[in-house]
């Protein structure tokens, strides 16, 4: 080996060492994945010390979300849930284990919330113009409301083995109110299964986070001000390894003759809710559970909702509109997430 080639060798060695050192010191980049699902979008941020195949990860996530839609979408007439709804019968109807998990959690929260969360409320939602059929020409009559109520009620549903039975042959089961939360949980499990400990998974505003951001700080979650016309921040919270779901009455409503009609229906009256609770945020390890509770409490209203949250040790932030001002109510479980405010 002559002097020149020895020098080349040395240079190459030094250059290689420098590249290695630089490679080691460079913190792994944060990866963003996003795409359409459930009539909205999903967004994922993650970083990991381990090398991960983000293309494969996204493929697995997309496959799972397509699978969930094939089971639980009411927009897909061929989904498992749509097939159930098209089968007018009181016979036990076998469902996939995934759909049953979601149905059973929605029924559990439905019972806990004194049946305010009601996955059979669809006929009333349609009657008031929030379903696939557009806004009604006239406010529904009491006769129409009573007719719809005859086939509404979670007390008319029962699960036995892997089957769901309906006490009325013409019921409509809609899991849209908790499906996003379930989707977030499933996506988070897939991300974690790739050895990723630091992530934020979001579908249409429902989220689950784990670990920390790449700079070592906690994931900071902004809770929107409950106003329809702009996007502004009401609170910023950090939730550790948890899911967070918000149910709000400020984006989905219509006004007619000076009355405001919410998209949330009180199953007891068959009419849109009328109270002053405008936003409910729930933090819970399961996004499915957080999603269900947030809608349940939003339907219940401040007093009943807060009482249920306290009874069940839930972490909840409620925002009411009182005399034109927003007022916050929190449970002790939620306060700990707000302490790092600022
Ligand atoms: P939010 O973000 O306000 O929770 P969701 O999409 O999760 O919104 O749930 C609202 C939808 O749930 C409504 O558009 C309606 O279809 C349905 N819904 C209305 N009232 C109830 C109720 N009492 N229980 C369950 N679902 C309801
Ligand atoms: Mg919801």
């Amino acid at each position: 080996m002559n002097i020149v080639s020895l020098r080349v060798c040395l240079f190459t060695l030094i250059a290689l060492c420098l590249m290695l050192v630089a490679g080691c010191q460079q913190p792994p980049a944060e990866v963003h994945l996003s795409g359409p699902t459930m009539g909205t979008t999903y967004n994922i941020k993650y970083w990991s010390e381990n090398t991960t195949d983000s293309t494969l990860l996204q493929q697995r996530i997309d496959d799972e979300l397509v699978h969930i839609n094939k089971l639980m979408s009411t927009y897909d007439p061929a989904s498992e849930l749509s097939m159930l709804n098209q089968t007018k019968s009181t016979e036990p109807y076998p469902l996939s284990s995934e759909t049953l998990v979601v149905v059973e959690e929605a029924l559990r929260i439905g019972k806990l919330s004194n049946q305010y969360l009601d996955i059979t409320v669809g006929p009333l939602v349609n009657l008031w113009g929030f379903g696939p059929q557009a806004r009604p020409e006239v406010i529904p009559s009491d006769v129409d409301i009573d007719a719809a109520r005859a086939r509404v009620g979670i007390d008319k549903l029962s699960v036995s083995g892997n089957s769901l039975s309906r006490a009325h042959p013409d019921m409509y089961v809609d899991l849209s109110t908790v499906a996003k939360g379930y989707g977030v949980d499933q996506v988070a499990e897939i991300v974690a299964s790739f050895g990723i400990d630091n992530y934020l998974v979001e579908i249409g505003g429902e989220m689950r986070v784990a670990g920390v951001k790449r700079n070592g700080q906690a994931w900071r979650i902004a809770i929107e001000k409950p106003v329809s016309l702009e996007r502004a921040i009401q609170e910023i919270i950090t939730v550790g390894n948890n899911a967070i779901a918000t149910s709000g009455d400020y984006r989905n409503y219509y006004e007619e003759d000076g009355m405001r009609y919410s998209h949330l229906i009180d199953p007891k009256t068959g009419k849109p809710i009328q109270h002053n609770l405008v936003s409910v945020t729930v933090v819970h390890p399961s996004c499915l559970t957080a999603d269900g509770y947030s809608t349940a409490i939003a339907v219940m209203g401040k007093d009943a909702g807060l009482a249920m949250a306290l009874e069940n040790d839930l972490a909840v932030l409620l925002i009411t509109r009182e005399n034109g001002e927003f007022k916050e109510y929190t449970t002790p479980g939620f306060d700990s997430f707000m302490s790092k405010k600022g």
Side-chain angles (χ1 to χ4, degrees):
M1 191 181 278
N2 61 33
I3 298 274
V4 177
S5 59
L6 186 68
R7 272 208 189 132
V8 171
C9 251
L10 264 177
F11 267 125
T12 320
L13 205 66
I14 291 167
L16 262 175
C17 284
L18 282 174
M19 274 163 65
L20 267 176
V21 170
C24 289
Q25 283 176 346
Q26 185 87 35
E30 190 175 273
V31 182
H32 291 201
L33 305 175
S34 64
T37 188
M38 300 185 186
T40 175
T41 52
Y42 72 78
N43 283 287
I44 296 154
K45 292 182 189 180
Y46 72 84
W47 67 275
S48 175
E49 299 288 358
N50 311 322
T51 35
T52 51
D53 182 343
S54 61
T55 312
L56 180 64
L57 174 59
Q58 184 151 29
Q59 190 56 56
R60 288 279 311 281
I61 289 167
D62 285 336
D63 289 349
E64 176 65 17
L65 290 170
V66 166
H67 177 62
I68 295 173
N69 270 284
K70 272 276 155 219
L71 295 176
M72 301 173 210
S73 170
T74 45
Y75 292 87
D76 176 357
S79 75
E80 183 182 42
L81 198 61
S82 293
M83 301 300 277
L84 164 84
N85 286 332
Q86 286 156 33
T87 309
K88 312 289 179 206
S89 163
T90 53
E91 289 299 306
Y93 189 99
L95 290 172
S96 64
S97 57
E98 294 100 314
T99 303
L100 271 177
V101 163
V102 180
V103 166
E104 290 197 291
E105 182 61 353
L107 291 179
R108 184 185 75 82
I109 297 173
K111 282 168 195 150
L112 255 180
S113 69
N114 196 13
Q115 317 209 346
Y116 277 102
L117 180 73
D118 188 334
I119 52 174
T120 70
V121 83
L124 288 164
V125 173
N126 281 340
L127 199 58
W128 286 95
F130 289 104
Q133 297 151 26
R135 172 192 303 205
E137 292 287 306
V138 287
I139 300 305
S141 68
D142 287 348
V143 174
D144 287 345
I145 293 174
D146 284 346
R149 286 179 72 189
R151 52 197 193 98
V152 170
I154 52 168
D155 52 342
K156 298 185 181 78
L157 294 184
S158 59
V159 175
S160 171
N162 66 348
S163 294
L164 180 70
S165 299
R166 294 155 292 175
H168 189 291
D170 190 11
M171 293 184 76
Y172 183 83
V173 179
D174 189 348
L175 299 175
S176 311
T177 189
V178 283
K180 278 183 284 174
Y182 176 75
V184 167
D185 285 333
Q186 296 309 105
V187 170
E189 297 301 332
I190 292 173
V191 173
S193 77
F194 273 62
I196 298 165
D197 300 326
N198 306 286
Y199 58 80
L200 179 153
V201 170
E202 180 251 345
I203 301 179
E206 320 300 11
M207 275 182 221
R208 193 160 129 182
V209 298
V212 290
K213 288 201 291 190
R214 209 198 60 165
N215 63 9
Q217 289 178 358
W219 298 103
R220 284 155 59 86
I221 315 289
I223 298 168
E224 274 187 273
K225 259 193 206 316
V227 287
S228 337
L229 300 177
E230 51 162 337
R231 298 217 154 188
I233 293 173
Q234 172 86 20
E235 285 289 348
I236 293 186
I237 60 171
T238 56
V239 299
N241 290 2
N242 265 313
I244 172 164
T246 296
S247 184
D249 176 34
Y250 48 99
R251 206 147 273 141
N252 284 302
Y253 68 93
Y254 64 85
E255 281 177 353
E256 202 143 300
D257 299 331
M259 281 285 280
R260 186 182 160 110
Y261 294 97
S262 166
H263 71 148
L264 294 176
I265 305 290
D266 179 344
K268 316 273 173 193
T269 62
K271 296 177 180 172
I273 54 166
Q274 284 289 349
H275 50 65
N276 65 356
L277 179 56
V278 284
S279 166
V280 178
T281 298
V282 177
V283 178
H284 192 278
S286 153
C287 200
L288 167 62
T289 303
D291 203 358
Y293 275 128
S294 68
T295 305
I297 294 169
V299 181
M300 293 172 95
K302 193 220 28 174
D303 292 335
L306 199 52
M308 181 187 70
L310 289 169
E311 227 163 82
N312 293 281
D313 277 331
L314 302 178
V316 185
L317 162 70
L318 302 93
I319 307 174
T320 56
R321 193 198 306 268
E322 297 176 30
N323 305 319
E325 307 242 317
F326 294 130
K327 212 167 161 205
E328 295 187 355
Y329 298 84
T330 54
T331 62
F334 197 90
D335 289 334
S336 57
F337 302 124
M338 295 216 296
S339 57
K340 295 171 200 113
K341 190 175 166 181

